[in-house]
Amino acid sequence: MGRRYFGTDGIRGLTNTAPMTPEIAMRVGQAAGAKFLRGDHKHRVVIGKDTRLSGYMMESALIAGFTSVGMDVVMVGPVPTPAVAMLTRSMRADLGVMISASHNAYQDNGIKLFGPDGYKLSDEDEIEIEALLEIAPKLAEPSQIGRAKKIEDARGRYIHFAKSTFPDHLRLDGLKLVVDCANGAAYNVAPSALWELGADVEVIGVSPNGFNINDDVGSTRPAALQNKVVESGAHIGIALDGDADRLIIVDERGQIVDGDQLMALVTRSWHASGRLKGGGLVATVMSNLGLERYLGGLGLNLERAKVGDRYVLEAMRAGGYNVGGEQSGHIILSDYSTTGDGLVAALQILAVLVEDGRPASELLTLFEPLPQLLKNVRFNGGQPLDAESVKGVIASAEARLNGTGRLVIRKSGTEPLIRVMAEGEDMGLVESLVDEICDAVVKAA
């Protein structure tokens, strides 16, 4: 069965345009509620959100859907996506929901669903929910309608959890850092956790107004953080995205350190201390070939998964790995979390920084990445990648690389985009191949 609503990271789209309408959100609540009604106990769902204006509307619609089929709702307010996963488990809830479009602008929103184990739902579960969206819901009897309740200490619970992942024998005293919370879900919890561990914390992106989430701040727009780190003389900068499941680091010179380098650092550190499981890490097809070569030099392997942190996690669970993630900064440390957690990942990086003592610029660049270029082509429908003209250009590009690099061409799972990535030894060749493929896609779209 095809997937009408769910992409690689839940349901996402332009607010008040299908599928991101209150009507569909209510139906998602009813369908997901029906799917997870199991046993005679009173069922419970945890709902969190980020700071975008439409979160209130979508939250109300989801509450109506869940309560109408007999589920109680626990509202936890603006918290990071990994906090929803953690609270779902700790509260013994039957389902968790995060209302967020992650790194997208405020106009978009999304719905991410977690099972009772705190893991994002499988493709099979999502397909079942989509099927239930097509039929009339079985509404609860009046006496069995669910209740909605807000808990006030959700942020404190998450701060306590995040701090517990930092080594007990270490402190952040003497470390000056800048944290950019993207005017998103971590605007309160990330600065608080870092300050409580002893850091001298400066902040940007901590004044959400419903419209400014990810607006020239955050992990996908780190220029403001780069400038602030250099101006303030900070040792390091931490950039999260709108729902704080993604991390990018800026060193003391203002240089960006991406997820590939951060995963390499954690993997090397955990391998040296005997904590690493699986004999390497799991990344996606987008991670740089330089990462793979670096790990090979350490006697470790890189397993590649499809793009999407839940696919990374599925491969981690299947192979017994405890480190995985994406070049974009989704880093999953399964000893602690069931999903990407930007703050927890940052704390592991800071632990290595404190123990090592070298500047971030010396510590965090472990390998020289191969030249890599990614471009996006927007399209309005159809299957441009199935066109013979596009297939021919891709085949020609593969031949020209001749085994010295890689091509990754795929549809985005969250936006109407074709992503075209190439990497290789020669940047000029990489640029030429990407442009040729993008031109062919545009003509075929």
Side-chain angles (χ1 to χ4, degrees):
M1 180 184 295
R3 292 156 64 91
R4 291 182 55 198
Y5 298 98
F6 287 92
T8 57
D9 197 14
I11 303 171
R12 189 178 299 184
L14 182 65
T15 305
N16 274 345
T17 301
M20 273 297 105
T21 66
E23 177 187 9
I24 294 177
M26 184 178 72
R27 288 166 51 202
V28 169
Q30 291 171 329
K35 161 71 178 169
F36 283 86
L37 283 173
R38 295 173 281 194
D40 296 327
H41 66 280
K42 190 62 177 177
H43 291 71
R44 177 184 297 165
V45 55
V46 173
I47 299 182
K49 59 185 178 182
D50 64 23
T51 57
R52 61 194 77 221
L53 179 65
S54 58
Y56 295 95
M57 178 180 73
M58 303 305 287
E59 180 183 51
S60 297
L62 283 162
I63 290 170
F66 283 116
T67 55
S68 72
V69 296
M71 288 190 105
D72 285 347
V73 173
V74 178
M75 297 174 285
V76 297
V79 294
T81 287
V84 171
M86 182 272 292
L87 291 165
T88 299
R89 296 195 317 275
S90 68
M91 297 183 68
R92 311 300 192 268
D94 300 276
L95 194 61
V97 181
M98 180 65 182
I99 305 167
S100 175
S102 191
H103 59 280
N104 290 21
Y106 84 91
Q107 294 95 333
D108 292 343
N109 215 330
I111 300 170
K112 304 181 186 185
L113 299 174
F114 295 88
D117 55 3
Y119 290 98
K120 289 180 179 177
L121 299 189
S122 66
D123 287 343
E124 292 74 21
D125 284 335
E126 291 179 348
I127 289 171
E128 286 187 48
I129 291 171
E130 287 207 356
L132 290 169
L133 285 168
E134 303 302 322
I135 62 178
K138 181 181 178 181
L139 300 179
E141 296 294 329
S143 62
Q144 297 301 311
I145 291 172
R147 299 175 182 269
K149 175 182 179 180
K150 184 174 183 178
I151 61 171
E152 302 296 340
D153 64 342
R155 294 178 185 174
R157 297 187 194 191
Y158 176 69
I159 290 170
H160 176 76
F161 155 74
K163 288 168 54 185
S164 74
T165 69
F166 191 73
D168 288 338
H169 66 284
L170 296 179
R171 294 178 57 88
L172 297 178
D173 297 66
L175 188 70
K176 184 174 184 178
L177 59 84
V178 182
V179 59
D180 176 358
C181 298
N183 291 316
Y187 76 95
N188 176 280
V189 296
S192 296
L194 294 165
W195 176 81
E196 289 180 20
L197 288 169
D200 177 2
V201 181
E202 293 200 25
V203 295
I204 60 175
V206 293
S207 302
N209 60 17
F211 300 99
N212 61 359
I213 188 170
N214 303 309
D215 186 10
D216 288 331
V217 285
S219 61
T220 54
R221 295 172 178 82
L225 178 63
Q226 292 174 276
N227 293 333
K228 187 68 172 178
V229 167
V230 173
E231 291 172 3
S232 63
H235 296 102
I236 195 169
I238 296 167
L240 306 173
D241 67 337
D243 67 335
D245 65 353
R246 184 184 297 203
L247 167 72
I248 293 295
I249 292 290
V250 170
D251 68 25
E252 82 282 0
R253 298 177 180 176
Q255 298 300 306
I256 296 171
V257 184
D258 69 13
D260 282 351
Q261 299 282 0
L262 301 180
M263 288 188 290
L265 181 70
V266 174
T267 302
R268 186 186 70 176
S269 174
W270 286 18
H271 176 57
S273 64
R275 296 178 56 193
L276 188 69
K277 300 173 184 175
L281 68 87
V282 178
T284 74
V285 293
M286 302 301 290
S287 278
N288 196 277
L289 191 58
L291 172 62
E292 188 170 343
R293 293 176 177 177
Y294 173 76
L295 293 173
L298 298 177
L300 303 173
N301 64 290
L302 174 66
E303 180 172 339
R304 294 186 185 268
K306 292 192 298 184
V307 172
D309 63 335
R310 67 193 180 104
Y311 298 119
V312 170
L313 187 54
E314 287 174 5
M316 291 173 65
R317 297 176 77 182
Y321 296 87
N322 61 348
V323 180
E326 300 185 273
Q327 185 185 66
S328 60
H330 288 114
I331 298 176
I332 304 171
L333 305 173
S334 61
D335 287 358
Y336 305 123
S337 302
T338 55
T339 190
D341 191 321
L343 178 57
V344 167
L347 290 174
Q348 305 313 303
I349 302 300
L350 294 175
V352 178
L353 186 68
V354 169
E355 286 200 299
D356 185 279
R358 285 181 292 163
S361 58
E362 296 181 20
L363 178 68
L364 299 182
T365 303
L366 299 180
F367 63 89
E368 187 67 32
L370 268 69
Q372 187 182 80
L373 181 64
L374 170 67
K375 289 189 177 181
N376 297 318
V377 181
R378 189 167 293 274
F379 69 105
N380 296 319
Q383 301 292 332
L385 294 183
D386 292 339
E388 291 301 322
S389 58
V390 175
K391 291 180 180 179
V393 172
I394 293 173
S396 174
E398 291 277 13
R400 290 168 64 188
L401 279 173
N402 194 29
T404 63
R406 298 186 307 126
L407 292 177
V408 179
I409 298 97
R410 65 180 185 88
K411 278 186 176 180
S412 169
T414 57
E415 300 175 84
L417 300 173
I418 302 291
R419 304 196 190 279
V420 180
M421 188 277 283
E423 66 181 0
E425 306 284 354
D426 182 348
M427 187 60 189
L429 176 60
V430 166
E431 291 175 344
S432 176
L433 297 181
V434 169
D435 288 342
E436 290 173 13
I437 296 170
C438 287
D439 288 344
V441 171
V442 168
K443 292 175 182 177

